[in-house]
Amino acid sequence: MKHWFLIIFMWLFAQLTSAQRYELGVTVGGSNYIGDVGNVSYLSPTDVGFGVIGKINRSERHSFRASFLYLPVQGDDTKSSEAFRALRGLSFDNSIKEISFGIEYNFWEWDYYSERNQSVPYLYTGLTGFSYGTLVRGTTNGVPEIKAFGDAWSLAIPMVVGFKTQLARSFRLAFEVGARYTFTDNIDGSDPNRELKDREDLKFGNLNNNDWYVYSGLILTYTFGRKPCFCAY
């Protein structure tokens, strides 16, 4: 899996060296997870996440985009509105390190050389790879808890909607909310990975649904490069 992301990174680097207009920036915001422990709200940030982002603007409507995010996530049954979770009383902390590649699509054209104020909503999707701590349910002094036992990689599909505006000729400010559907059900320890596949007694929750996580954040980018000759693709 890591080799595939290296190949994608090298391809994007080649694009960057030949592109006419690109952006670099930083982001900070709130992160939360949705799964089998804790709150069931889809948009309820519990931790502060941050990262870096780069874009290759290939036309006035679409950009190639890459980012790295560090997103702490947690769950606490005592804060759940569901009675059985509150009685169960499990909690966990985890951290997600995300690398994402994909396409950002503007709802209408964005002129990268305009002096006037501009604003536009946009969508982003692609492929995300992320590392996280593998967890397992156990007990300490008879008290149930979720413990860490290793690290793992998985994939996710990002589904992001945002709105960006021009602060100055070279600076953009955006706000976006993005849910990631993951290909694992063990961000919260409810379905231990291959190492413990024979321990069915350690599993809990709804094993038919994988975990999600959400990032809601502000993005500040600086745009630079020569005037583009946009391609017809």
Side-chain angles (χ1 to χ4, degrees):
M1 187 181 301
K2 295 180 181 179
H3 297 298
W4 278 107
F5 277 92
L6 179 60
I7 292 171
I8 294 172
F9 176 80
M10 293 175 66
W11 177 81
L12 283 173
F13 180 79
Q15 290 288 319
L16 181 63
T17 59
S18 62
Q20 293 84 17
R21 195 68 170 165
Y22 19 89
E23 297 178 51
L24 291 175
V26 295
T27 179
V28 63
S31 56
N32 67 282
Y33 120 105
I34 307 145
D36 297 295
V37 178
N39 200 324
V40 295
S41 299
Y42 276 82
L43 189 58
S44 180
T46 57
D47 296 273
V48 176
F50 56 89
V52 294
I53 186 169
K55 301 180 189 180
I56 304 170
N57 298 309
R58 295 298 292 173
S59 79
E60 294 179 341
R61 295 294 291 269
H62 80 283
S63 305
F64 297 131
R65 169 171 154 174
S67 62
F68 171 79
L69 297 178
Y70 174 78
L71 305 176
V73 293
Q74 61 175 284
D76 187 344
D77 279 344
T78 63
K79 298 179 181 178
S80 174
S81 59
E82 296 187 357
F84 79 92
R85 292 195 182 193
L87 289 172
R88 185 178 58 188
L90 290 174
S91 64
F92 78 94
D93 289 282
N94 211 332
S95 61
I96 292 170
K97 296 92 170 175
E98 172 194 288
I99 302 174
S100 187
F101 303 99
I103 294 179
E104 182 177 295
Y105 176 79
N106 298 328
F107 276 69
W108 53 78
E109 291 184 354
W110 179 286
D111 185 351
Y112 293 96
Y113 286 85
S114 175
E115 298 286 351
R116 63 182 176 83
N117 292 331
Q118 301 178 86
S119 298
V120 64
Y122 63 88
L123 300 174
Y124 169 74
T125 191
L127 182 64
T128 292
F130 66 98
S131 67
Y132 64 101
T134 51
L135 307 176
V136 63
R137 183 174 60 172
T139 59
T140 298
N141 298 323
V143 178
E145 66 174 1
I146 295 175
K147 306 176 180 180
F149 73 90
D151 296 289
W153 277 82
S154 187
L155 296 174
I157 303 298
M159 293 167 275
V160 179
V161 59
F163 184 84
K164 60 185 175 183
T165 189
Q166 184 167 319
L167 295 181
R169 181 170 181 174
S170 298
F171 288 94
R172 316 283 183 259
L173 181 66
F175 174 75
E176 66 179 37
V177 177
R180 279 77 166 168
Y181 172 76
T182 76
F183 290 80
T184 179
D185 192 26
N186 200 48
I187 292 177
D188 52 20
S190 64
D191 188 8
N193 287 350
R194 290 189 300 268
E195 296 90 336
L196 301 174
K197 65 181 180 180
D198 296 326
R199 294 294 305 276
E200 296 294 329
D201 59 304
L202 296 176
K203 299 181 179 182
F204 64 92
N206 186 351
L207 301 180
N208 295 316
N209 290 332
N210 288 344
D211 295 331
W212 295 67
Y213 64 92
V214 179
Y215 176 67
S216 309
L218 290 171
I219 302 171
L220 178 65
T221 60
Y222 175 74
T223 306
F224 59 99
R226 67 184 185 273
K227 191 171 183 177
C229 175
F230 290 124
C231 304
Y233 67 90

